[in-house]
């Protein structure tokens, strides 16, 4: 049930937050935008609504799979920690147990998420001008990537299998720390908001805890998310970065320390409703499953 509930929650949240994720990636990887509203206006002016949804189909599918994997692996690691450490899998885990299980989950899922992440970034930064109503006969050049699968095939052809894992070290750092923050925050807030005598928080508390967990996790993740996005976008044209340290050093030298927090506001705005939906859907499906099994 943890895997099923995670899959449903992940797919719903990905669809809710994707347009802002596209804006975030473009702000992080391109210096031509003056801010969030400039990027939104420019994207809509040149590409209309479809511009905000480049690569969304693969992202929703992968988000369902990755969230299912993340929640399932996290709960199973926690289950086994409690079984070996306390002698009972139903024993309440400590905050250290939660942090360790979450960090391990973040590290394991990098192997699965890296190809999807690089395809998402490449599709999101790809500009596809919307056909003009005034000049409908105007020929528009064909975009390099025709979709998520074509994007992955092209990357392998041009950059080899290693190309699918560009930025994976930055992704590893991002996901280990953010995953620990994510699950620990949800656990702490959930315990705090659970009424005395109850084993689980009410659904309103799940919404609040999930939203706050998402915001704090992205606050921790944003610096490495910027570096990851820039390394993954670096396959377009001339190579600029040789690795994580080189990318971080050059980015800070050229744009200042603030560059590491590009997209933080967008990440926070997107993270609250998206992760509210993740945990709300997850808990609702788990509770419905338990009711049906009784």
């Amino acid at each position: 049930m943890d895997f099923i509930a995670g899959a449903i929650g992940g797919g719903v949240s990905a669809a809710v937050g994707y347009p802002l994720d596209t804006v975030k990636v473009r702000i992080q990887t391109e210096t031509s935008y003056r801010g969030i509203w400039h990027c939104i206006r420019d994207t809509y002016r040149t590409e209309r609504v479809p511009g905000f949804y480049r690569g969304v189909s693969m992202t929703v599918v992968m988000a369902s799979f990755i969230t299912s994997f993340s929640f399932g692996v996290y709960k199973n690691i926690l289950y086994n920690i409690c079984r070996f450490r306390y002698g009972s899998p139903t024993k309440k885990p400590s905050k250290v147990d939660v942090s360790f299980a979450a960090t391990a989950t973040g590290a394991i899922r990098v192997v699965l998420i890296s190809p999807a992440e690089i395809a998402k970034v490449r599709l999101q930064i790809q500009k596809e001008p919307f056909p003009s109503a005034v000049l409908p006969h105007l020929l528009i050049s064909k975009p390099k990537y025709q979709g998520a699968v074509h994007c992955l095939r092209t990357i392998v052809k041009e950059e080899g299998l290693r190309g699918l894992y560009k930025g994976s070290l930055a992704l590893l750092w991002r996901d280990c720390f953010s995953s620990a923050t994510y699950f620990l925050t949800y656990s702490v807030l959930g315990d705090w908001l659970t009424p005395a005598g109850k084993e689980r928080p009410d659904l309103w508390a799940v919404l609040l805890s999930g939203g706050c967990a998402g915001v704090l996790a992205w606050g921790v993740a944003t610096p490495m998310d910027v570096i990851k996005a820039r390394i993954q976008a670096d396959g377009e044209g001339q190579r600029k970065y040789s690795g994580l340290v080189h990318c971080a050093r050059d980015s800070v030298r050229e744009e200042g320390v603030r560059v590491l927090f590009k997209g933080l506001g967008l990440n926070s705005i997107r993270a609250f409703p998206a992760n509210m939906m993740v945990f709300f859907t997850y808990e609702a499906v788990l509770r419905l499953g338990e009711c049906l099994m009784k």
Side-chain angles (χ1 to χ4, degrees):
M1 286 304 298
D2 285 302
F3 285 99
I4 295 170
I8 297 171
V12 171
S13 69
V16 169
Y18 197 82
L20 287 178
D21 187 64
T22 296
V23 175
K24 180 229 16 170
V25 168
R26 291 189 174 188
I27 287 174
Q28 288 178 341
T29 57
E30 300 175 33
T31 58
S32 59
Y33 297 118
R34 296 189 296 274
I36 295 172
W37 290 113
H38 180 219
C39 181
I40 292 174
R41 285 197 307 269
D42 185 70
T43 300
Y44 182 76
R45 180 177 57 82
T46 57
E47 303 171 72
R48 296 296 188 268
V49 174
F52 296 98
Y53 287 92
R54 303 294 178 206
V56 68
S57 57
M58 182 180 185
T59 298
V60 170
V61 172
M62 287 303 297
S64 294
F65 178 69
I66 295 299
T67 308
S68 170
F69 179 84
S70 298
F71 276 86
V73 169
Y74 166 71
K75 282 301 182 74
N76 275 279
I77 291 175
L78 209 54
Y79 176 93
N80 284 292
I81 287 174
C82 291
R83 189 177 66 173
F84 287 114
R85 188 174 180 186
Y86 307 115
S88 171
T90 58
K91 183 77 173 178
K92 186 176 178 62
S94 69
K95 300 300 180 277
V96 173
D97 298 332
V98 170
S99 298
F100 178 81
T103 302
T105 301
I108 293 169
R109 75 179 188 178
V110 168
V111 178
L112 299 174
I113 201 175
S114 186
E117 282 280 313
I118 195 166
K120 177 177 76 70
V121 167
R122 296 283 178 89
L123 287 166
Q124 286 175 324
I125 64 173
Q126 178 173 264
K127 303 295 178 65
E128 296 181 36
F130 195 77
S132 172
V134 180
L135 298 171
H137 61 281
L138 186 65
L139 293 177
I140 298 173
S141 59
K142 196 175 182 180
K144 180 177 181 179
Y145 304 121
Q146 303 302 308
V149 175
H150 181 250
C151 179
L152 292 173
R153 282 206 310 264
T154 304
I155 291 170
V156 171
K157 182 179 178 181
E158 295 180 350
E159 305 170 48
L161 286 173
R162 290 181 61 186
L164 297 179
Y165 288 89
K166 285 189 72 173
S168 57
L169 182 58
L171 185 61
L172 179 66
W173 280 93
R174 186 196 79 173
D175 278 17
C176 283
F177 287 110
S178 65
S179 185
T181 304
Y182 186 60
F183 284 108
L184 183 61
T185 301
Y186 179 76
S187 176
V188 170
L189 287 177
D191 289 346
W192 185 50
L193 295 172
T194 300
K198 284 191 175 183
E199 293 184 0
R200 285 179 168 181
D202 296 327
L203 288 178
W204 70 267
V206 169
L207 287 167
L208 181 60
S209 301
C212 291
V215 171
L216 288 175
W218 272 109
V220 171
T222 296
M224 278 299 164
D225 189 54
V226 173
I227 302 304
K228 183 229 26 133
R230 292 190 167 205
I231 292 173
Q232 290 179 330
D234 200 33
E236 300 299 284
Q238 186 178 2
R239 301 292 191 277
K240 185 177 180 181
Y241 306 117
S242 60
L244 189 154
V245 175
H246 182 215
C247 179
R249 189 176 60 238
D250 275 22
S251 296
V252 171
R253 186 176 67 245
E254 293 172 7
E255 301 173 57
V257 177
R258 290 179 61 183
V259 70
L260 298 178
F261 297 94
K262 268 190 168 185
L264 177 58
L266 266 176
N267 278 336
S268 300
I269 293 169
R270 179 176 63 93
F272 197 86
N275 288 284
M276 280 174 60
M277 293 306 300
V278 168
F279 279 103
F280 179 81
T281 306
Y282 172 77
E283 288 287 349
V285 171
L286 279 185
R287 295 179 192 194
L288 177 62
E290 289 174 2
C291 289
L292 292 174
M293 291 173 67
K294 287 181 180 179

